[in-house]
Amino acid sequence: MANASGLRPAGRAVLVSPYTPERKEGIIIIPDEALGRDQMIEQRAIVIEAGPSAWCDEPQPRASVGDKVLISKFSGYMATGTKDGKPYRFINDRDIFAVIEEEGDV
């Protein structure tokens, strides 16, 4: 997965793309206007790129590019890709606390 955002994380920062898992029909649909503020509290994201010092003091990285992960609520900084205009979030490397291996129907 190539980083098409135009943003490059530095130091221990990790660039992630927030996402909401697909839901079954019959659930209330949230309008796009409301999604912007929900992305800061969303705890699911896809790793886009990690800075050069991410997880330097750990035996292995917590996540790899393309992994779906759970992150700390309200962590990081929301940014808009300068190249693609999509929403992203810069988080600290320690704000990733789990890799999502499998998702079921919600």
Side-chain angles (χ1 to χ4, degrees):
M1 172 181 279
N3 180 358
S5 69
L7 304 169
R8 184 158 319 277
R12 298 182 77 107
V14 178
L15 181 65
V16 298
S17 176
Y19 82 96
T20 303
E22 298 218 10
R23 302 189 187 274
K24 289 183 176 180
E25 288 186 35
I27 305 256
I28 296 172
I29 305 291
I30 299 173
D32 289 340
E33 308 85 57
L35 288 177
R37 52 183 184 261
D38 286 345
Q39 286 178 334
M40 195 59 191
I41 62 171
E42 179 57 59
Q43 292 179 277
R44 294 173 190 244
I46 299 170
V47 176
I48 303 299
E49 186 175 348
S53 299
W55 306 295
C56 63
D57 57 349
E58 296 184 24
Q60 64 184 21
R62 293 185 184 202
S64 301
V65 171
D67 282 351
K68 291 180 178 181
V69 294
L70 292 177
I71 60 176
S72 300
K73 195 181 281 192
F74 298 113
S75 64
Y77 174 80
M78 290 299 298
T80 301
T82 56
K83 190 173 178 183
D84 63 6
K86 294 181 180 178
Y88 293 94
R89 194 163 153 186
F90 282 100
I91 60 170
N92 187 294
D93 59 350
R94 293 179 187 252
D95 288 329
I96 294 176
F97 57 89
V99 174
I100 300 170
E101 293 184 348
E102 186 176 337
E103 289 183 305
D105 292 335
V106 178

